Amino acid sequence: FSLMQTYTQTEVQTAKGRIDVVVHTAEAFFVIEFKVNGSAAEAIAQIKARDYHRKYLHHNKQVILIGLGCADKQVKELITETV
C-alpha cells in the first residue's frame, strides 16, 4: 500500500466498534469490513449501523464503503457503496 502512495490502518477503534481496514488515498477514504462466513451485505450493514464512515466525511474526499464476504480463504462477495 505504501508503494501505491496510500496510508492503511487496521482495526481502527471507534466508539461503536472496530473498523477492519481504512485506506487513505489523496482522493478518497476506503472503509473496509470483512465478514468471514458471512455476506458482503452484512459487512456494509455493520459499517452503516455503527457509523464507521462518519469520521471521514468532513475531509472533502470521497468515502467508499467496501463489504467483503469471505469463506474458505477466498473473497466470495464484494459490495461497494459511495457515501
Side-chain angles (χ1 to χ4, degrees):
F1 283 105
S2 61
L3 291 173
M4 297 185 312
Q5 298 180 339
T6 64
Y7 176 67
T8 304
Q9 294 177 285
T10 59
E11 297 192 6
V12 178
Q13 201 66 29
T14 74
K16 296 182 179 181
R18 203 171 14 221
I19 306 167
D20 288 340
V21 180
V22 177
V23 178
H24 307 236
T25 69
E27 298 82 28
F29 289 94
F30 298 86
V31 179
I32 305 168
E33 187 68 29
F34 296 90
K35 285 295 176 191
V36 177
N37 297 322
S39 71
E42 290 173 315
I44 291 286
Q46 180 175 329
I47 293 170
K48 291 178 178 180
R50 297 185 182 179
D51 288 328
Y52 287 166
H53 61 291
R54 186 155 315 278
K55 67 191 259 178
Y56 304 105
L57 294 176
H58 71 279
H59 291 280
N60 294 324
K61 294 182 182 183
Q62 271 192 315
V63 178
I64 300 167
L65 314 181
I66 301 175
L68 296 159
C70 304
D72 301 322
K73 298 182 182 181
Q74 294 182 10
V75 174
K76 299 291 186 178
E77 291 182 285
L78 168 79
I79 296 174
T80 63
E81 187 174 313
T82 303
V83 179

